[in-house]
Amino acid sequence: MDEFLQRLIVKNWKIGKLTFTFLDALLAVCITGTGIMLRLAVVEYTVTDSQKLGAMIIDFILAFYCGEIVYEYTRHRNKAFLTYAILVIYPTMIANSALWGKNSVYSVFFFFVGLYYFALHDKERKKWLGLLAAAVGAARALAVFRLSSESMNLGWPNFYEIIGKEAFVELFNQVSVLCLFGILFTMLYVFVKRRIEITKDMALRLFLFLAILIPYLAPSMPAWAGLTADIGALVYCMRRPRKFYVPILHLIVSYSAYAYALNGETKLPMVLYAVILLALLVDTGVGIFREAAKG
């Protein structure tokens, strides 16, 4: 019996390209079970429908996908599994799907599918597939975007926490969107003009930068607006461990935004979280500039 157990534990199993041991499978089952139990603990606080159940299922698929992305970037099995393990118990992912069942989880899923195919595959056909997936995610996000609002902030501590989210709302609602598109098209022009190569690392940096930038400058952003950057920051950290503070700080901001949306208050002023996001934006932007300068 002991010999059978020993062989079972050390034996390598293979499904497709995935190689794992019995202990790997047992650990995966345990962490998946933990993620399910955490969601079941809060799912009854709000109405449960098919949309919410679908969002919770997508959580686990997304976590697996992100683990695959990390493996493609690092070729490190433990980092890939750690990414999956962290994401299935990520507080903002649990709150987003189990409490609200928001459409955002579907948009976020398409964004990361887009990153996977665009950044990690050399074939032109798969790169176009990645762009298509990202476009679908953006379209879903825009479908729930409201340009007109009584406040420049609907829960997410964006730039308007600093300059004032109640003043000149109607004017800022129009101008801020134009400014945001101006920045995005300027970036596109510079990259094309200077013929900057979009390497795997550059694609990841740009992905995280845009995930922070767009909800930071766009008006009337809800509390779940930082979910894409939450996950992107974790993937970024797995690629660059020295940037461990990026996912930590962003998760603190994101979780505080959820707490504000649910309870109407936070431990610290929202303007402080907006300043933290600005610092993360500058930090990521400097990394993009340095990498572009090398090319």
Side-chain angles (χ1 to χ4, degrees):
M1 187 65 176
D2 291 341
E3 201 173 311
F4 169 76
L5 289 175
Q6 186 177 7
R7 285 200 307 270
L8 179 65
I9 291 173
V10 301
K11 182 179 178 180
N12 286 327
W13 305 80
K14 191 170 183 179
I15 299 178
K17 296 180 180 179
L18 180 64
T19 302
F20 59 94
T21 66
F22 174 78
L23 291 180
D24 291 333
L26 181 61
L27 187 57
V29 170
C30 290
I31 194 62
T32 301
T34 301
I36 293 172
M37 295 303 295
L38 288 172
R39 284 162 176 79
L40 291 178
V42 297
V43 71
E44 294 181 357
Y45 284 91
T46 54
V47 177
T48 301
D49 53 16
S50 59
Q51 180 183 349
K52 182 188 283 191
L53 294 174
M56 288 191 290
I57 293 172
I58 290 292
D59 273 353
F60 292 93
I61 300 174
L62 177 59
F64 181 83
Y65 234 111
C66 289
E68 177 66 19
I69 291 173
V70 168
Y71 181 76
E72 292 292 335
Y73 267 106
T74 64
R75 292 296 170 182
H76 200 292
R77 290 177 68 253
N78 289 343
K79 284 186 177 181
F81 183 81
L82 181 61
T83 301
Y84 172 81
I86 292 175
L87 287 180
V88 296
I89 61 172
Y90 231 37
T92 49
M93 284 187 70
I94 294 171
N96 189 74
S97 61
L99 282 175
W100 290 346
K102 291 290 184 181
N103 271 328
S104 57
V105 69
Y106 299 97
S107 300
V108 173
F109 175 74
F110 282 114
F111 288 146
F112 281 92
V113 170
L115 174 65
Y116 177 76
Y117 283 106
F118 180 80
L120 301 175
H121 291 83
D122 296 326
K123 292 183 178 179
E124 200 71 23
R125 180 171 56 85
K126 291 191 174 181
K127 286 187 177 294
W128 280 108
L129 179 61
L131 290 174
L132 177 61
V136 171
R140 289 189 64 92
L142 286 172
V144 296
F145 177 73
R146 297 177 184 175
L147 188 59
S148 119
S149 172
E150 296 179 358
S151 173
M152 296 297 289
N153 182 301
L154 295 179
W156 183 249
N158 51 17
F159 177 66
Y160 309 101
E161 287 285 353
I162 299 175
I163 65 173
K165 61 180 181 177
E166 305 297 341
F168 307 107
V169 172
E170 186 175 348
L171 175 63
F172 280 154
N173 258 321
Q174 306 294 330
V175 174
S176 59
V177 175
L178 295 176
C179 290
L180 178 58
F181 276 107
I183 292 172
L184 295 177
F185 281 116
T186 301
M187 288 178 60
L188 179 62
Y189 173 79
V190 171
F191 270 76
V192 173
K193 181 75 174 178
R194 297 191 58 183
R195 296 181 180 179
I196 297 172
E197 183 183 0
I198 307 296
T199 62
K200 291 199 307 183
D201 282 324
M202 177 62 83
L204 182 57
R205 286 183 187 274
L206 280 171
F207 182 89
L208 178 59
F209 181 76
L210 294 176
I212 300 174
L213 175 71
I214 293 174
Y216 192 68
L217 293 183
S220 307
M221 286 289 98
W224 49 263
L227 182 61
T228 303
D230 264 348
I231 303 170
L234 179 63
V235 175
Y236 181 66
C237 171
M238 291 297 175
R239 173 62 173 169
R240 299 181 176 276
R242 288 186 179 182
K243 298 292 185 178
F244 67 92
Y245 56 86
V246 175
I248 293 174
L249 289 175
H250 199 278
L251 181 61
I252 290 173
V253 173
S254 193
Y255 187 76
S256 298
Y258 277 68
Y260 180 76
L262 293 171
N263 303 321
E265 60 180 5
T266 58
K267 298 295 182 182
L268 298 172
M270 291 288 278
V271 65
L272 178 59
Y273 299 125
V275 172
I276 292 174
L277 288 176
L278 181 59
L280 292 178
L281 196 59
V282 171
D283 181 83
T284 311
V286 168
I288 292 173
F289 176 79
R290 288 176 177 171
E291 189 165 337
K294 289 179 183 177

